[in-house]
Amino acid sequence: MTTSSAPEPVPVRIRVLLPGNQEVVARLCSRRQVRDGWRYEVGLPAYSNGPGDSVEPAEYRVWVRAPDHVRPVDGVSYDAVPTEYLKPSFVEEVLGPRRPSGWVLAKGGGRGPGRGGVVHAVDCEEAPAGAPVLTLERALNAAEQPGVRLCSLCGAAAELDPVLKGFDHGFDET
């Protein structure tokens, strides 16, 4: 049998915002990253009934949404709090991080292809800085204008062409 020499993590103080604008100092036991943010497991001070008519100090543990329901205590370090980070899904592991959504239109000028502009993904290196982000509908409307083309470097063409031309385009009909 082996024993661990690692000390048990000591919960640290944190302020918890309660309903009715009340605030108490509680113990932060652990943190967990979830898809829509963070949850903090806090131990709120309470009392419980003991044997007979006794009343004993107790702790009520609950998961709360951060930062909506918790605030740091000045001078307290939260580095040693046990923290569970969100694990990427299988799809995220295979495909990598998601690209930001939306498209931008780089307005063109002059004559020839692209004179009306080029539709890029928002993170394309060729996309103009500060251009307004277009929704799918607006990007499709822009792409249908004469002289506007879709960027093939960032994948805007691969993403928007099937929607413009129909998903069956390029497949053999049998």
Side-chain angles (χ1 to χ4, degrees):
M1 179 170 110
T2 60
T3 58
S4 172
S5 61
E8 184 69 24
V10 177
V12 296
R13 295 178 304 138
I14 192 161
R15 295 183 328 205
V16 178
L17 308 175
L18 300 175
N21 295 324
Q22 298 178 58
E23 184 178 295
V24 297
V25 175
R27 297 182 333 144
L28 176 58
C29 303
S30 64
R31 302 180 284 195
R32 178 181 298 153
Q33 186 180 25
V34 294
R35 294 243 177 255
D36 66 342
W38 285 89
R39 300 294 183 272
Y40 282 27
E41 181 186 24
V42 296
L44 297 165
Y47 289 104
S48 69
N49 293 327
D53 285 340
S54 67
V55 176
E56 300 173 351
E59 181 178 78
Y60 173 72
R61 286 201 180 186
V62 63
W63 287 92
V64 295
R65 185 185 313 265
D68 300 349
H69 303 120
V70 290
R71 299 286 184 271
V73 173
D74 291 338
V76 173
S77 171
Y78 297 97
D79 295 340
V81 174
T83 304
E84 181 182 324
Y85 293 95
L86 183 65
K87 294 180 179 96
S89 70
F90 176 74
V91 172
E92 290 169 329
E93 284 183 18
V94 172
L95 297 179
R98 291 184 67 180
R99 221 175 66 200
S101 62
W103 294 269
V104 294
L105 176 63
K107 297 192 178 187
R111 300 186 182 275
R115 72 181 184 281
V118 181
V119 176
H120 297 278
V122 290
D123 61 345
C124 180
E125 292 177 8
E126 301 292 321
V133 177
L134 305 175
T135 63
L136 174 61
E137 185 177 344
R138 292 195 132 183
L140 292 171
N141 288 341
E144 290 179 322
Q145 299 303 311
V148 174
R149 67 180 181 82
L150 300 171
C151 178
S152 58
L153 296 174
C154 64
E159 293 172 357
L160 298 176
D161 258 344
V163 181
L164 287 169
K165 296 176 181 169
F167 286 97
D168 293 333
H169 180 74
F171 293 100
D172 292 333
E173 292 183 24
T174 51

